[in-house]
């Protein structure tokens, strides 16, 4: 005879409010870790970009050969234009401080343990991001930059968004509206990262197409580059809005779906960083060092 304990499977306990809340917590933890993974990949890739900037642009300056900037930026150094060259030097070299400062600002343990470092680092980060954006606008509209009108408009809107996000992030922090401050600070981080997204996006695209596609590599113009000039900040900002909605949502499915999307985006970001490192950054580093 079969014992009743084997024959009758135990009844699934009813889905109590406590179970539902535990499921939501687990989904929230998965979402938080997926975001941390993406952030770790992004910070690694941005540090590589900053290292390249320090070695290529800083190295040329230290060695008294700023004309070497033009190996990458055709109108980076113009003989005789001291003020313009200085502005461009500031634009590229503050990238190192911006990248390190941005990563530090978003580290939650550091915010808790050293709030005054968070405040001071935040002031420096915001100031440099705004100054760099204003210089970027000067470069595009007065000094001359590669690319066509659509690209120039796209990157200029990026510059304006950086300034707006910086203003809102600071205003909310000063007023003690921390939840809103966090939202605008995250938007600021992604808007400031636009130039980096452009590079990893373009290099991933080139690798995926086994060469330049959708643009002319000589004039550096074409539909794909026009698209990327806007997508470099609009896509990350759209993903951030979805992430924040999933975080605020009580629906387990929304959190799990977003965590899955963040995993895929982490892989895509790592692929873009690898492509940019191989094609853009490491070759310059190996030539310069
Ligand atoms: C705060 C965010 C920004 C950072 C950290 C940043 C950083 C840089 C760096 C490192 C380069 C050299 C690129 C390389 O060697 O691959 C560069 C180039 C350039 N940036 Fe920015 N940038 C920022 C925002 C902007 C904005 C908002 C604009 C325009 C409104 C802009 C306009 C330019 C231009 C025109 C070039 C030269 C591209 C060329 O013609 O070759 N940047 N930027």
């Amino acid at each position: 005879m079969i014992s009743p304990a084997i024959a009758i499977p135990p009844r699934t306990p009813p889905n109590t409010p406590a179970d539902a809340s535990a499921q939501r917590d687990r989904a929230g933890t998965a979402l938080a870790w997926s975001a941390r993974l993406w952030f770790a990949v992004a910070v690694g890739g941005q540090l590589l970009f900053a290292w390249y900037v320090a070695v290529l642009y800083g190295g040329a300056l230290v060695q008294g050969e700023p004309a070497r900037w033009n190996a990458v930026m055709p109108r980076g150094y113009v003989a005789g234009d001291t003020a313009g060259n200085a502005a461009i030097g500031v634009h590229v070299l503050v990238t190192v401080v911006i990248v390190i400062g941005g990563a530090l600002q978003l580290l939650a343990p550091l915010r808790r343990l050293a709030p005054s470092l968070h405040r001071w680092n935040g002031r420096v980060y915001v100031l440099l991001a705004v100054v760099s954006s204003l210089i970027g606008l000067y470069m595009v509209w007065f000094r001359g930059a590669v690319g066509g009108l659509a690209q120039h408009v796209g990157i200029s809107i990026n510059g304006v968004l950086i300034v707006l996000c910086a203003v809102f992030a600071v205003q909310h922090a000063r007023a003690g509206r921390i939840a809103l401050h966090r939202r605008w600070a995250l938007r600021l981080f992604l808007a400031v990262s636009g130039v980096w997204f452009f590079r990893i996006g373009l290099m991933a695209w080139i690798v995926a197409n086994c060469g330049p596609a959708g643009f002319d590599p000589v004039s550096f113009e074409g539909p794909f580059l026009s698209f990327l000039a806007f997508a470099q900040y609009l896509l990350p900002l759209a993903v951030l809005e979805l992430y924040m909605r999933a975080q605020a949502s009580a629906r387990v499915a929304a959190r799990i779906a977003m965590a899955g999307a963040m995993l895929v985006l982490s892989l895509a970001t790592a692929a873009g960083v690898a492509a940019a490192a191989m094609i853009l950054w490491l070759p310059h580093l190996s030539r310069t060092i």
Side-chain angles (χ1 to χ4, degrees), residues 63 126 247 265 282:
Q63 288 164 9
V126 161
Q247 227 182 10
L265 289 172
L282 296 181

Side-chain angles (χ1 to χ4, degrees), residues 85-112:
N85 295 334
I88 288 173
V90 169
H91 179 81
V92 288
L93 290 174
V94 297
T95 301
V96 179
V97 185
I98 287 178
V99 163
I100 297 172
L104 291 178
Q105 278 312 88
L106 297 191
L107 287 179
L110 202 74
R111 284 201 300 273
R112 270 197 311 275

